[in-house]
Amino acid sequence: MSRYSSHAASFDWPALMQAGMRGLGLRPDQFWALTPAELWLLLGPETGDAPMARGTLEALAARFPDETSDIGAKDG
């Protein structure tokens, strides 16, 4: 058994092939010649989760601030 078989089994190849060949109109040889980055670009970055913007991160940090610990503090 290949070390890659568990990854390949969980990947939805039919959906990806349909998006590339039916949705984008690629021929099979064009589809298989693409790198994952090229296919992602053709499908559009909006098809995946957008990275968190700075404002969203700052709001999240304000809502859930880091807690400080007294571990290792010396009584004085």
Side-chain angles (χ1 to χ4, degrees):
M1 180 178 214
S2 169
R3 68 181 181 159
Y4 301 107
S5 59
S6 64
H7 296 289
S10 64
F11 198 75
D12 191 355
W13 282 107
L16 189 58
M17 292 168 65
Q18 184 173 11
M21 290 185 235
R22 294 180 97 193
L24 297 174
L26 298 172
R27 294 185 321 264
D29 63 317
Q30 292 172 320
F31 173 81
W32 292 111
L34 293 172
T35 66
E38 291 168 333
L39 184 57
W40 177 79
L41 182 66
L42 288 172
L43 290 173
E46 65 277 356
T47 60
D49 293 335
M52 186 181 298
R54 178 169 294 281
T56 306
L57 176 62
E58 289 171 354
L60 188 61
R63 187 171 175 201
F64 301 100
D66 291 338
E67 294 181 20
T68 57
S69 173
D70 292 336
I71 296 175
K74 294 182 180 181
D75 292 331

